[in-house]
């Protein structure tokens, strides 16, 4: 159980982040729902958490801005007195082939998917060190391990998350802070819903378990990693992909 713990989930207004926020709240954590622009969606997540008897606060910040991240974490610590769990989930995609990729399409994905995770880890590391306790969960991707056509920016950012996770785990472990990453496979979210139906069916046929994943498949693992049952687990990259890349 995560009672009395404070969890910050970035990009928590939709998709995997939404599912993780709801799951952490069900286990008793007070969830800080970070979002960039969709206030309505963030408030909906807050409402759902409160309806199930949980605690949640919406906090707007662009996590690709180091200044906004520092301000957000400072506000959380001032208001809550602590921060126990960080889930680096915020992410975007700008898919296209290498020769067609514009500089801004590369930069936007790196800034949101990789730089933001670093900014958040740096910001929470100080209060977590003082507590001598903390759980950091980064959302990578199997694409960061295996690569993918048309996603060189996304794959590079998610591969960077893996190196970030392992390095942070080594650096912070002596202070009781565990850092792990989840590498989702093909999960049904806004991103994958844009794929043509025949493409989704083709992918599902290649997955040994015969289906695309649900956001809750990722959320369940995030809850485990956040709980004390995972206190001897750090620096790990765990693929949740239905066996696609076993």
């Amino acid at each position: 159980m995560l009672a009395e713990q404070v969890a910050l989930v970035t990009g928590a207004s939709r998709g995997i982040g939404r599912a993780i926020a709801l799951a952490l709240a069900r286990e008793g954590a007070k969830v800080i729902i970070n979002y960039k622009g969709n206030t309505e969606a963030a408030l909906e997540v807050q409402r759902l958490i409160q309806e199930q008897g949980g605690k949640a606060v919406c906090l707007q910040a662009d996590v690709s801005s180091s200044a906004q991240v520092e301000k957000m974490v400072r506000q959380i610590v001032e208001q809550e007195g602590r921060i126990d769990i960080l889930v680096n989930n915020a992410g975007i995609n700008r898919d296209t082939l290498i020769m067609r990729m514009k500089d801004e399409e590369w930069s936007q994905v790196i800034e949101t998917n990789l730089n933001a995770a670093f900014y958040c880890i740096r910001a929470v590391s100080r209060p977590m060190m003082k507590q001598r306790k903390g759980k950091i969960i980064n959302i990578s991707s199997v694409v960061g391990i295996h690569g993918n056509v048309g996603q060189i920016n996304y794959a590079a950012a998610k591969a960077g998350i893996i190196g970030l996770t392992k390095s942070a785990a080594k650096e912070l472990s002596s202070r009781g802070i565990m850092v792990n990453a989840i590498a989702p496979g093909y999960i049904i979210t806004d991103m994958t819903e844009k794929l043509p139906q025949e493409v989704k069916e083709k992918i599902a046929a290649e997955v040994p378990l015969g289906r695309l994943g649900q956001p809750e498949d990722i959320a369940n693992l995030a809850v485990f990693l956040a709980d004390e049952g995972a206190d001897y687990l750090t620096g790990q990259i765990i693929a949740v992909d239905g066996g696609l890349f076993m």
Side-chain angles (χ1 to χ4, degrees):
M1 293 291 289
L2 303 173
E4 308 305 318
Q5 295 199 37
V6 177
L8 167 62
V9 183
T10 70
S13 65
R14 60 188 178 87
I16 290 172
R18 179 181 188 272
I20 291 173
L22 290 167
L24 291 173
R26 278 195 296 271
E27 295 301 314
K30 181 172 184 178
V31 178
I32 312 302
I33 301 163
N34 162 256
Y35 68 102
K36 181 180 178 181
N38 195 335
T39 303
E40 185 178 346
L43 289 172
E44 172 70 5
V45 178
Q46 182 185 40
R47 183 185 65 79
L48 290 170
I49 288 173
Q50 291 172 341
E51 283 182 355
Q52 66 186 21
K55 298 177 182 178
V57 174
C58 293
L59 199 51
Q60 185 175 23
D62 179 356
V63 289
S64 69
S65 162
S66 62
Q68 291 191 40
V69 168
E70 291 291 338
K71 180 181 178 182
M72 173 177 66
V73 171
R74 188 165 58 247
Q75 184 176 338
I76 293 168
V77 174
E78 287 173 356
Q79 292 181 353
E80 308 299 335
R82 60 188 302 112
I83 183 164
D84 303 285
I85 301 158
L86 165 66
V87 181
N88 277 314
N89 166 77
I92 61 171
N93 64 337
R94 299 287 185 268
D95 297 350
T96 190
L97 297 174
I98 294 169
M99 291 187 296
R100 296 176 182 170
M101 186 168 290
K102 298 180 177 68
D103 290 355
E104 56 268 27
E105 291 171 330
W106 170 268
S107 299
Q108 287 168 0
V109 170
I110 297 297
E111 287 167 4
T112 302
N113 295 22
L114 179 58
N115 292 0
F118 163 67
Y119 297 149
C120 289
I121 291 172
R122 183 175 63 182
V124 304
S125 61
R126 187 169 285 107
M128 285 185 175
M129 281 181 177
K130 287 181 180 177
Q131 297 165 192
R132 301 194 71 84
K133 180 183 179 184
K135 295 290 183 74
I136 297 173
I137 302 161
N138 300 320
I139 306 300
S140 180
S141 170
V142 293
V143 169
I145 302 170
H146 301 281
N148 199 27
V149 173
Q151 289 193 304
I152 193 169
N153 48 2
Y154 188 80
K158 293 302 187 178
I161 290 287
I162 292 172
L164 186 76
T165 298
K166 291 179 178 290
S167 297
K170 288 184 176 182
E171 191 168 327
L172 300 175
S173 60
S174 64
R175 300 299 185 94
I177 302 168
M178 277 119 266
V179 188
N180 293 289
I182 302 173
Y186 289 96
I187 308 298
I188 297 173
T189 64
D190 293 347
M191 288 186 187
T192 54
E193 279 299 293
K194 296 174 185 175
L195 295 171
Q197 184 60 32
E198 61 269 21
V199 173
K200 288 187 281 188
E201 290 174 359
K202 184 175 182 292
I203 293 169
E206 293 173 356
V207 176
L209 290 184
R211 65 173 177 88
L212 301 185
Q214 296 289 338
E216 290 73 22
D217 294 318
I218 310 305
N220 292 337
L221 178 56
V223 168
F224 169 72
L225 291 173
D227 205 354
E228 62 183 13
D231 279 356
Y232 198 59
L233 192 66
T234 196
Q236 301 306 303
I237 315 301
I238 306 171
V240 182
D241 61 0
L244 182 61
F245 291 109
M246 70 172 72

